Amino acid sequence: MLVIRPVHPADLPALERLAGSATPRLTNLPAHRDRLEERIARSRQAFAAEVEAPGDEHYTFVLEDLECGEVVGTATIRAQVGARDAYYTYRQETLIHASQQLDVRREVPILSLSHEVSEATLLCALSLDARYKGTSAESLLRRARLMFIAQYPERFAGILAMAFPGYLDEQGESPFWNSVGRHFFVRDYQEINYLAGVRSKSFIAEVMPQFPLYLALLTPQARAAIGREHPDHEPALAEMLAEGFLRSRHVDIFDAGPVIKGERQRLASFQCAAWHPVRIRPAHALPDAEPAMVANQRLGDFRCVVARYALSPTGQLMLSPEHAERLGVEEGRAVLAAPLGLPGMGDGGVDEHDPGYDEGEL
């Protein structure tokens, strides 16, 4: 029995373990005890606060396996990613160089430093125990955050964003960092990635060049890495594209990993989510049905589980006593449910219809 819930102070050792085992290491989930303690405290403050508009709130969730009593995953929502410091990315653009005298016209791709994503809500800091990867636990951890946002829209922006780790070579080095950032910092990628997690990415933008980067001047390996996700995150990116996110023209300033964006009301989980009163029935009496994410409507005691989307003729969601207990709901209480499966996902879990760039980015 797996359940998503807000993080507790007692989860600190589990967060340390998950931060240390993330592949690759995540800037926004540093394996640093003080920073993780601060993350837990900020999350508890966010859940307890009365919020009318998104700000610098961080909501951190954990995935708990109740059978073994172990926290096996974590994920975070940053309500407004640039509320405290601007959230910097590189934006892919094109400059036109033309000369009538020489009869020359060239379209030159460039990267420009940008903080346009700063107003968005960021889904970030996801790490899952390797034993649960490739199971429904992965989708639950990734998308239960959408179930929370759907219930409390005033706390979040209308645009959601996700930044995926970029491509690293066999030595764990970032070709993009080695071609760009390393010229301004005498540190390798892994070290600068850790420092940014412990401090802030804003100090990177203060030192990085403010002028456009001409892609033709980068190494071929660096150019090939732009907008390319780390291989371990290909299934996650495919799932979120199927959810309705779109590739943007923004990439990470460290490793050039892709940044995807989505209007929350156009995402599948928002469009398909529905409220149903609960009807409790023995597990053996429940009809077969597709799995769904089911969430209660308790802010500080938010819970989300995977259960059968079994509806009665009158529209009640039939839950086993075990699921009802984990959600903390009684018969007749309304829960929010959305299908766990997504349209556009093939049998291999790959998005069959990559939507390409967000039209608003063109």
Side-chain angles (χ1 to χ4, degrees), residues 12 16 19 29-38 194 197-198:
L12 178 59
E16 288 184 289
L29 189 65
H32 188 284
R33 191 177 186 87
D34 290 346
R35 295 287 79 78
L36 293 175
E37 285 183 334
E38 178 184 339
Y194 176 76
V198 173

Side-chain angles (χ1 to χ4, degrees), residues 25-44:
R25 295 295 179 92
L26 302 178
T27 306
N28 47 36
L29 189 65
H32 188 284
R33 191 177 186 87
D34 290 346
R35 295 287 79 78
L36 293 175
E37 285 183 334
E38 178 184 339
R39 177 184 297 268
I40 293 172
R42 292 187 66 179
S43 178
R44 290 172 64 81

Side-chain angles (χ1 to χ4, degrees), residues 4 67 83 86 139 142 173 201 210 221 250-251 308:
I4 298 288
E67 290 187 5
S139 291
R142 190 174 298 125
E173 290 291 323
K201 274 192 176 182
Q210 301 295 312
Q221 294 84 353
H250 296 268
V251 298
R308 299 179 193 175

Side-chain angles (χ1 to χ4, degrees), residues 58-348:
H58 291 204
Y59 303 86
T60 297
F61 302 84
V62 296
L63 174 65
E64 184 177 3
D65 188 333
L66 297 173
E67 290 187 5
C68 61
E70 185 180 357
V71 168
V72 297
T74 183
T76 294
I77 309 172
R78 295 177 64 180
Q80 185 179 10
V81 64
R84 177 177 295 184
D85 298 311
Y87 182 78
Y88 286 96
T89 61
Y90 274 124
R91 179 185 167 99
Q92 302 178 72
E93 300 176 357
T94 300
L95 288 182
I96 296 177
H97 290 247
S99 171
Q100 292 184 350
Q101 293 181 344
L102 299 178
D103 192 25
V104 172
R105 183 184 185 280
R106 294 290 304 275
E107 295 184 359
V108 182
I110 63 168
L111 294 175
S112 293
L113 204 60
S114 168
H115 49 76
E116 295 173 11
V117 184
S118 294
E119 299 298 316
T121 289
L122 188 71
L123 307 181
C124 61
L126 186 148
S127 180
L128 178 66
D129 189 297
R131 295 170 294 172
Y132 295 80
K133 291 183 178 178
T135 71
S136 61
E138 196 163 9
S139 291
L140 176 63
L141 179 61
R142 190 174 298 125
R143 293 170 51 221
R145 293 172 292 182
L146 302 179
M147 300 290 282
F148 183 79
I149 293 171
Q151 295 193 49
Y152 306 99
E154 72 281 359
R155 291 175 174 261
F156 305 99
I159 300 295
L160 309 183
M162 295 181 72
F164 284 86
Y167 172 78
L168 304 181
D169 61 23
E170 295 179 354
Q171 288 73 43
E173 290 291 323
S174 166
F176 183 80
W177 174 259
N178 288 339
S179 186
V180 179
R182 189 156 191 150
H183 293 294
F184 302 89
F185 295 87
V186 190
R187 290 181 170 90
D188 62 23
Y189 170 76
Q190 300 295 347
E191 183 180 2
I192 204 70
N193 194 44
Y194 176 76
L195 288 174
V198 173
R199 299 177 186 175
S200 166
K201 274 192 176 182
S202 62
F203 79 89
I204 299 295
E206 293 168 358
V207 180
M208 294 286 271
Q210 301 295 312
F211 299 102
L213 299 177
Y214 285 75
L215 266 60
L217 302 180
L218 305 183
T219 64
Q221 294 84 353
R223 293 197 298 271
I226 295 173
R228 181 180 176 185
E229 70 277 10
H230 189 281
D232 287 352
H233 291 259
E234 290 175 0
L237 177 58
E239 181 176 33
M240 300 317 287
L241 292 177
E243 174 72 55
F245 282 85
L246 298 172
R247 293 181 182 271
S248 75
R249 295 194 177 277
H250 296 268
V251 298
D252 186 80
I253 60 174
F254 283 176
D255 55 24
V259 176
I260 62 175
K261 296 164 64 178
E263 297 179 34
R264 67 186 188 196
Q265 296 305 325
R266 295 177 62 180
L267 301 180
S269 293
F270 286 81
Q271 293 182 343
C272 298
W275 290 98
H276 300 281
V278 168
R279 185 177 183 181
I280 300 176
R281 290 293 181 268
H284 69 269
L286 296 180
D288 289 334
E290 294 298 318
M293 297 180 293
V294 182
N296 66 10
Q297 49 179 325
R298 299 164 64 182
L299 174 63
D301 292 318
F302 176 80
R303 298 291 186 272
C304 187
V305 302
V306 173
R308 299 179 193 175
Y309 209 153
L311 296 180
S312 71
T314 55
Q316 295 170 306
L317 182 65
M318 292 183 280
L319 292 177
S320 69
E322 293 79 13
H323 279 120
E325 180 183 357
R326 299 312 178 194
L327 289 168
V329 297
E330 303 170 349
E331 187 153 317
R333 176 71 67 177
V335 293
L336 186 65
L340 186 65
L342 286 169
M345 295 294 290
D347 294 337

